[in-house]
Amino acid sequence: DAGITQSPRYKITETGRQVTLMCHQTWSHSYMFWYRQDLGHGLRLIYYSAAADITDKGEVPDGYVVSRSKTENFPLTLESATRSQTSVYFCASSDGYVGNNEQFFGPGTRLTVL
Amino acid sequence: DQQVKQNSPSLSVQEGRISILNCDYTNSMFDYFLWYKKYPAEGPTFLISISSIKDKNEDGRFTVFLNKSAKHLSLHIVPSQPGDSAVYFCAGIDGSARQLTFGSGTQLTVLP
């Protein structure tokens, strides 16, 4: 499928478990981003990547790990999930970082940590 | 401390009328602003943007106004259509940090 996809779309896990959310884009965009959306907070940047093997922290990186071995994939791992990480997670990609470079968002992953 | 605030969580408007969504910001370093639209179970999609050197940008039914002295921007939709019913996010870009900072969103409902 063309565009940006996320998997799984829904995930329920337990506190302390490791969870990986997948993101895949077919545009060969150099930049990729992970956001979380919580009520009252809008979308907050967790991590971003400017290219393969280059990643950097966003506003709320604690408890998350990212990697980018291939341009098209940008997985997000919660190494030991906590209830506060219950959220909707959005992946996005763009040609450039911000400004005139539009970010294209995936459909989101709804994660529940019990 | 929220740098971008959308104080109205929801707004209802009659079809054909104008919808006005408001956004306030506190970061003087923002040099670019964007509006995103989000339907349920989908990711946000870009709607319209404005540079801080302008005070108005128009695209079809959508117009964004920027008042830098008041640190306020608004999105006008005229005429409103039922398909416009969605959550609208305002976002600012910090010229130095180069990150998007989003507001909490406003749910717009356009009644037929």
Side-chain angles (χ1 to χ4, degrees), chain A residues 3-64:
Chain A
I4 183 164
T5 56
Q6 293 183 235
S7 61
R9 293 294 311 276
Y10 302 90
K11 177 73 177 179
I12 299 174
T13 190
E14 294 177 338
T15 301
R17 290 193 179 265
Q18 182 179 84
V19 178
T20 296
L21 309 184
M22 303 302 293
C23 178
H24 175 79
Q25 53 104 355
T26 60
W27 294 304
S28 298
H29 283 164
S30 54
Y31 281 85
M32 295 188 75
F33 309 83
W34 274 107
Y35 293 89
R36 58 179 289 174
Q37 183 193 4
D38 304 291
L39 271 175
H41 286 279
L43 284 85
R44 291 180 292 175
L45 182 65
I46 304 171
Y47 270 96
Y48 68 96
S49 168
D53 297 322
I54 300 174
T55 62
D56 208 346
K57 296 178 180 179
E59 180 186 354
V60 289
D62 293 343
Y64 303 95

Side-chain angles (χ1 to χ4, degrees), chain B residues 8-109:
Chain B
S8 298
S10 63
L11 173 69
S12 291
V13 172
Q14 209 68 36
E15 181 179 5
R17 296 289 190 97
I18 184 172
S19 294
I20 301 176
L21 294 92
N22 293 304
C23 180
D24 296 300
Y25 63 95
T26 57
N27 189 340
S28 300
M29 297 300 293
F30 285 150
D31 60 2
Y32 211 78
F33 301 89
L34 304 91
W35 285 92
Y36 276 81
K37 175 179 178 180
K38 184 185 177 304
Y39 292 116
E42 295 183 10
T45 55
F46 170 75
L47 186 60
I48 192 169
S49 64
I50 187 167
S51 166
S52 61
I53 62 172
K54 297 188 175 182
D55 55 19
K56 177 182 174 181
N57 188 27
E58 193 172 351
D59 183 2
R61 297 186 297 113
F62 302 91
T63 303
V64 56
F65 295 92
L66 175 62
N67 182 334
K68 283 187 69 177
S69 60
K71 291 190 173 68
H72 177 84
L73 64 158
S74 60
L75 174 68
H76 293 211
I77 306 174
V78 184
S80 301
Q81 300 173 353
D84 296 329
S85 296
V87 176
Y88 289 79
F89 291 100
C90 166
I93 297 173
D94 184 315
S96 59
R98 309 310 298 170
Q99 290 188 9
L100 270 176
T101 300
F102 285 86
S104 54
T106 295
Q107 171 71 56
L108 173 66
T109 302

Side-chain angles (χ1 to χ4, degrees), chain A residues 62-83:
Chain A
D62 293 343
Y64 303 95
V65 174
V66 294
S67 62
R68 193 158 176 217
S69 56
K70 293 184 178 181
T71 300
E72 61 267 30
N73 297 324
F74 191 37
L76 176 74
T77 298
L78 290 67
E79 292 193 306
S80 179
T82 65
R83 289 182 180 173

